[in-house]
Amino acid sequence: MFFPKDLRYTPEHLWVRQEGEVYYAGITDFAQEQLSDIVYVEVETEGQTLEKDQIFGTIEAVKTLSDLYMPLSGEIVAFNKELVRKPEQINKIPYQAWILQIKPTQIEQWDTLLTAEAYQAIINANND
């Protein structure tokens, strides 16, 4: 499994990438593999400001329906509407198929996100 070192991660299996004042978030390669075939992504919170760990949407796979949790407090400035038509992009290219863009209200929360190494350690510990 691949975890890019330039991203940060949450224990809930989201990745976060900073690009200027906007942060992109999606689900990790590990998460998409665990979910299996993703068939639907729903985000009805676009334009809202949510706190870290609040539910911002859901992701549906053949096997299950899972809530998605905010990795950082902030305003959801965009939802990747391409995923409505092609949710399987998350399975094919999880680190390019972002789900939302966030304008953070508490930038210091970036420092609380996991590095690739720390996230890998959590995955390894849970699979032992």
Side-chain angles (χ1 to χ4, degrees), residues 11-87:
E12 294 79 27
H13 310 292
L14 288 178
W15 58 260
V16 182
R17 179 178 70 235
Q18 180 184 3
E19 289 188 15
E21 294 183 8
V22 175
Y23 293 66
Y24 290 77
I27 68 166
T28 66
D29 190 23
F30 174 79
Q32 71 79 22
E33 187 176 279
Q34 296 297 305
L35 288 169
S36 183
D37 296 329
I38 294 169
V39 296
Y40 190 69
V41 180
E42 182 174 55
V43 175
E44 293 183 348
T45 51
E46 188 173 6
Q48 295 181 25
T49 299
L50 300 175
E51 295 299 313
K52 182 178 180 186
D53 297 326
Q54 275 190 285
I55 295 171
F56 70 82
T58 56
I59 191 162
E60 185 176 350
V62 173
K63 296 179 181 179
T64 189
L65 179 68
S66 298
D67 289 330
L68 296 167
Y69 298 90
M70 287 291 285
L72 302 164
S73 297
E75 179 187 357
I76 298 174
V77 293
F79 163 56
N80 185 353
K81 292 177 179 59
E82 178 74 12
L83 297 178
V84 173
R85 290 190 1 261
K86 297 180 179 179

